[in-house]
Amino acid sequence: MNAGMSSGGPRMHFTASARPDARQALDRMVRRYGQTPLDSADCVVSLGGDGWMLETLRARFEDKLPVYGMHRGTVGFLMNDFAEDDLPERIDNAVRAVIYPLEMRAETLEGDGPLVHQAINEVSLLRQTSQTAKLRILVDGRERLAELAADGVLVATPAGSTAYNLSAHGPILPIGANLLALTPISPFRPRRWRGALLRHDAKVVIEVIEPERRKVAASADTLEVRDITKVSIREDRSKPLTMLFDEGHALDERILREQFSL
């Protein structure tokens, strides 16, 4: 029995995305296991894909409940396989993965800010127009790149390293690596720069060069701020999140397998 779970089996609160498969699964699971109110639950069971898992995790910043995901969506990297049987036992025997979000503090041309959002996967900066973005990158107060001309750049957590970061040819990070990935998106100059691995406690500041002409948007996962002038990014250890995985399918094992996939 995992610490924090009730002795009579975990009290589960189910949530589902809007996809028909997820809504049908929600109805079946609630009929079979009941629906515990959030304020009395031991865990949250998220039915959907990775996008819904991120939304479910984002809602856990306050109550800190662990989340057990089951795949009823399109992409299911963060999810367990769906099965109706033996769910309490699966949750009791699940492996815990504790992850930490990034805090994004964005300033805009209108003088708003800093606008603060949390990202579980990554903070990304992308050009808003046909003009190439030009960005200055500082790490822990020291300029590391005077000018990056690119479609954008991102900072990814280990949990998010297999998402947008991997598509941008960034490195896959094991969960326990205590690292962040700083990865350019379609770099033009310096063309050969492929990014950097940073300590998990590094503070990254990205300034937009010519922000009126070369407009850039910043996103914390799916939360977007447009017309930015500067973004500060750091890991936020005050907001730990817990994911539950079936034995043999834990997140660190999935990340390791991903590195050997063709």
Side-chain angles (χ1 to χ4, degrees):
M1 178 70 64
N2 281 322
M5 299 293 184
S6 60
S7 58
R11 295 168 297 193
M12 300 172 286
H13 178 86
F14 294 91
T15 183
S17 73
R19 291 176 61 91
D21 286 353
R23 303 307 298 182
Q24 292 167 12
L26 174 66
D27 290 341
R28 296 200 301 270
M29 301 305 272
V30 168
R31 283 199 302 269
R32 181 163 184 174
Y33 295 108
Q35 177 73 306
T36 303
L38 267 176
D39 58 5
S40 303
D42 294 317
C43 67
V44 174
V45 178
S46 178
L47 303 165
D50 284 350
W52 185 249
M53 183 64 163
L54 291 176
E55 290 300 312
T56 306
L57 285 167
R58 190 177 297 281
R60 307 278 73 78
F61 285 135
E62 297 300 324
D63 60 38
K64 302 292 194 299
L65 288 173
V67 180
Y68 181 91
M70 286 204 290
H71 188 206
R72 291 284 87 185
T74 304
V75 180
F77 187 83
L78 299 177
M79 315 300 279
N80 299 288
D81 292 336
F82 177 79
E84 291 187 39
D85 296 337
D86 303 320
L87 183 57
E89 291 78 10
R90 290 173 71 183
I91 291 175
D92 273 341
N93 294 321
V95 177
R96 292 182 173 231
V98 178
I99 62 173
Y100 300 93
L102 298 173
E103 179 189 80
M104 176 185 85
R105 304 175 72 87
E107 300 177 20
T108 70
L109 282 169
E110 290 74 23
D112 298 330
L115 303 175
V116 182
H117 296 294
Q118 274 74 37
I120 297 167
N121 272 357
E122 76 278 319
V123 172
S124 59
L125 282 73
L126 283 170
R127 61 186 176 95
Q128 291 178 205
T129 69
S130 60
Q131 292 287 340
T132 300
K134 289 190 175 182
L135 307 167
R136 178 176 178 245
I137 300 176
L138 301 94
V139 179
D140 293 330
R142 183 175 177 182
E143 181 181 274
R144 292 297 182 178
L145 204 55
E147 183 178 300
L148 169 67
D151 281 354
V153 69
L154 64 84
V155 177
T157 66
S161 66
T162 56
Y164 193 4
N165 173 71
L166 182 58
S167 297
H169 307 292
I172 297 174
L173 304 178
I175 287 295
N178 284 329
L179 294 170
L180 302 174
L182 175 64
T183 302
I185 302 168
S186 300
F188 180 63
R189 286 196 181 92
R191 193 181 299 275
R192 295 182 181 278
W193 186 63
R194 292 293 178 260
L197 292 176
L198 307 176
R199 285 170 49 106
H200 72 95
D201 55 357
K203 181 180 179 181
V204 181
V205 174
I206 303 171
E207 299 175 350
V208 180
I209 301 171
E210 302 179 73
E212 295 88 355
R213 178 172 172 236
R214 301 176 181 273
K215 294 190 174 184
V216 172
S219 297
D221 293 337
T222 58
L223 302 174
E224 186 183 65
V225 179
R226 296 178 72 82
D227 300 335
I228 63 162
T229 57
K230 182 171 76 170
V231 168
S232 299
I233 305 160
R234 68 173 184 88
E235 186 184 69
D236 188 352
R237 289 250 159 179
S238 71
K239 292 182 170 65
L241 297 168
T242 302
M243 292 188 291
L244 302 175
F245 291 94
D246 293 333
E247 287 189 284
H249 298 279
L251 188 56
D252 54 355
E253 172 62 23
R254 292 182 181 205
I255 288 174
L256 183 60
R257 287 203 307 265
E258 189 70 25
Q259 296 180 77
F260 291 90
S261 64
L262 301 178

